[in-house]
Amino acid sequence: MSAPPLAAPSTAARAERGGRGWLGVAGLVYLAISLLLQHRALGDFAGSAIGRTSTDATGFTWWLAHTAHALTTGTNALVTDLQHYPVGVNALWNTAVPLLGVLLAPVTLTAGATAAFNVGMVLGPVVSGVVAAAALGGIVRSGVARATAGALYGFSPFMVAHLQAGHLNLVWAVLPPVLLALAHRLFVRDLRRPWLLGGLTGLVLAAQAWLYTQTLAIGVLMLVVLAVVLAVRYPGRAADRLSALVRAATSCLAVFAVLAGYAVYLVLAGPSRPRAPLRSPEYGSADLANTIAPTWLTAIRPVPAPIGMQGNLGEQGGYLGVAVLLLVLLTVLTCGTAAGIAAAVGAVAWVLALGPQLFVAGEPTGVPLPWRALVKVPLLGEVEPVRLQVVVTLAVAVLAGLALDRFPRPVALVAVVAAMSWIPADAQRTTSAAAPAHPQLAGQVVETWPRITGDWYGGADPLRAQIASGFGYRLSGGYFLGADADHPLLLQSPWNRYQAGAALAQEWPTLAASPDPAETARDLREVGVTVVLVTPRPGDDPTPVLDWTRRVTGSEGVPLEGAWAFPLAATLHG
């Protein structure tokens, strides 16, 4: 029989024991790095949200607040009509991160939802890095090497890009390294308790289902890829383990069905779910140029970034660089089978991350790529392929750990250079999370102007006012993924007559044409709106919109903190 592909059991056990003392130290170092990266938020932890754009941070903050609100009021945290009333929103089709919402609820209830969001953003890379370092316990012997690998994973260009975009769901990248550790036990080491290992795998996958389903799909896909790579490399071992793996898979599915069955129902058949593809699969494709060209989020930039790259900055985290590519080559040549397997899986993930066709410096080339074959696969086809770069990052971390195990050989020195090439720049930003509270709107259904949108800067600000008001009122609009009877796909609430009239009034105040005020009022009443809330933006003359709103509601309006409220069918509370 061929030698095992990774560390032998006795070697793995010694490696695990040798590194346990490093994990605590590594975690503290990671925490210091994370706090240093986010130092701009530390002085106003409850008033400024981590992230360069406000809307995604606002969306996550809203869901954290909503989860805590649901826990204290006994309402449904997973299907809610607090947005997009009366249709409602399906949490599992949105970035609701309900597991984090529960874990961070004590922070939310004591320090506020913005503070909870910031805590999650600071701790996400830390926990991900610690888990990655621990996952390498059976593969990499040196505790220092594992700690370095964990830092590479936790503060990689992939992670730093999603930190600046405010993507709380993606900076908690715990699943890939956990699956690596479980796969090592399932496919490589002695499989003495397949039922237990399968159950643990089901537990981990279920936890991810309650965190973010897109990462779940990526994890399952790459677990299959790893199994295939190992089976091709060691067909005899695969045959020997088949019976035990079947038992493990049965246990995994049973545990997953019990713990995540409702999540699967919400995704596949739940209310308000989208009934059309979310976006073109090419939207979420990685750019080949990003492989060697870092963004301004990386401190050392030997190759200038192109003027444009595919995707927004939050999805441009695929930088490897010449030093890392050299590390991959040397590690595969000198560090044995484990390096070859890690590189093979990482290469598959890298190719898949490029999407259905090749993009170079933002330009489509028309060259078809393997992801094209997965576009029609249910659920998996909704994944933004660029996010498979988290697996590429983990593969690089494994290779760096294996190389550093051989210090002071030349390959270890290359690993040090590669790690230095990924040092993040001091470029993280924050956005204001300040919002007025409107307790006078308690019990109302509110139409807002400006309307709630997914615009990066300020588009979802009315959600923060709802949070500040303790969810005392519902919103007819919202920022979400969903559908209604007339729209198989919504990325935010649709335009209505009132909003069209307000837009006309704001942009062309002298234009006589506008929707009929009586019909507009009737439309608002039909969806249950009782109050129109106008929040003037700095620098705008609010008079035309206020006049339009008075014509629609028949009310002179009530001044609130930074806003005007116009009752439509109910009286405001004093």
Side-chain angles (χ1 to χ4, degrees), residues 14 17 42 131 141 158 177 270 299 352 361 429 455 495 540:
R14 289 196 300 271
R17 288 194 298 270
L42 301 183
V131 172
R141 294 184 298 272
F158 174 89
L352 292 176
R429 296 289 184 268
D455 292 346
W495 282 83
D540 287 347

Side-chain angles (χ1 to χ4, degrees), residues 88-479:
V89 179
N90 183 327
L92 265 291
W93 272 100
N94 288 273
T95 52
V97 291
L99 178 59
L100 284 181
V102 172
L103 295 177
L104 293 172
V107 180
T108 305
L109 294 171
T110 55
T114 299
F117 170 78
N118 288 337
V119 168
M121 292 292 285
V122 168
L123 291 183
V126 176
V127 175
S128 299
V130 169
V131 172
L136 295 181
I139 303 170
V140 176
R141 294 184 298 272
S142 164
V144 173
R146 267 179 277 156
T148 304
L152 274 173
Y153 181 70
F155 300 97
S156 64
F158 174 89
M159 193 74 76
V160 171
H162 288 291
L163 281 169
Q164 70 85 35
H167 291 164
L168 179 61
N169 54 343
L170 293 170
V171 302
W172 279 77
V174 175
L175 180 67
V178 171
L179 286 183
L180 171 64
L182 289 169
H184 187 237
R185 285 156 177 78
L186 286 166
F187 302 139
V188 178
R189 296 173 61 176
D190 289 339
L191 191 55
R192 297 176 182 175
R193 293 178 288 181
W195 295 107
L196 176 59
L197 280 175
L200 288 174
T201 304
L203 175 63
V204 168
L205 295 176
Q208 183 62 53
W210 293 112
L211 180 58
Y212 186 49
T213 53
Q214 195 171 116
T215 302
L216 171 64
I218 290 171
V220 172
L221 172 64
M222 297 314 299
L223 188 62
V224 172
V225 169
L226 175 58
V228 170
V229 169
L230 288 170
V232 170
R233 179 66 178 84
Y234 294 95
R237 290 176 63 86
D240 292 343
R241 286 175 174 263
L242 184 58
S243 175
L245 287 174
V246 169
R247 295 197 296 274
T250 302
S251 174
C252 173
L253 290 173
V255 171
F256 180 81
V258 171
L259 297 180
Y262 186 51
V264 173
Y265 157 75
L266 287 174
V267 171
L268 297 179
S272 302
R273 69 189 185 282
R275 304 188 302 275
L278 300 184
R279 55 181 65 89
S280 166
E282 294 178 354
Y283 168 83
S285 300
D287 195 310
L288 181 62
N290 194 199
T291 303
I292 59 171
T295 68
W296 49 267
L297 294 170
T298 298
I300 302 172
R301 297 188 289 277
V303 177
I307 294 175
M309 285 196 289
Q310 172 70 358
N312 60 65
L313 188 59
E315 305 294 352
Q316 294 171 4
Y319 176 60
L320 296 178
V322 175
V324 168
L325 293 174
L326 179 61
L327 170 68
V328 172
L329 176 62
L330 293 179
T331 308
V332 169
L333 293 176
T334 62
C335 294
T337 306
I341 291 171
V345 174
V348 171
W350 178 78
V351 171
L352 292 176
L354 293 171
Q357 75 160 312
L358 184 65
F359 283 81
V360 180
E363 296 297 325
T365 64
V367 176
L369 294 173
W371 186 261
R372 189 179 297 266
L374 302 177
V375 168
K376 299 298 184 182
V377 177
L379 297 184
L380 188 61
E382 299 290 355
V383 170
E384 293 173 59
V386 65
R387 294 180 178 179
L388 275 92
Q389 289 170 331
V390 69
V391 179
V392 181
T393 295
L394 180 59
V396 170
V398 172
L399 294 172
L402 290 169
L404 290 169
D405 247 354
R406 285 150 177 77
F407 192 84
R409 297 181 188 178
V411 66
L413 299 178
V414 173
V416 172
V417 174
M420 292 177 62
S421 74
W422 273 13
I423 293 174
D426 179 22
Q428 293 295 316
R429 296 289 184 268
T430 63
T431 56
S432 174
H438 302 310
Q440 303 93 331
L441 300 180
Q444 307 297 325
V445 176
V446 177
E447 170 77 18
T448 66
W449 183 263
R451 67 189 299 267
I452 305 171
T453 72
D455 292 346
W456 272 20
Y457 303 103
D461 283 356
L463 297 181
R464 289 196 177 275
Q466 189 188 34
I467 296 170
S469 304
F471 294 104
Y473 56 86
R474 290 170 167 79
L475 291 167
S476 60
Y479 170 48

Side-chain angles (χ1 to χ4, degrees), residues 76-98:
N76 191 342
L78 302 172
V79 179
T80 177
D81 63 0
L82 287 171
Q83 286 191 60
H84 195 36
Y85 181 88
V87 177
V89 179
N90 183 327
L92 265 291
W93 272 100
N94 288 273
T95 52
V97 291

Side-chain angles (χ1 to χ4, degrees), residues 30-46 48-51 118 121-122 155 163 424-431:
Y30 299 165
L31 179 60
I33 295 172
S34 191
L35 290 171
L36 182 62
L37 278 177
Q38 307 301 345
H39 65 87
R40 293 175 180 84
L42 301 183
D44 189 18
F45 213 59
S48 296
I50 290 172
N118 288 337
M121 292 292 285
V122 168
F155 300 97
L163 281 169
D426 179 22
Q428 293 295 316
R429 296 289 184 268
T430 63
T431 56

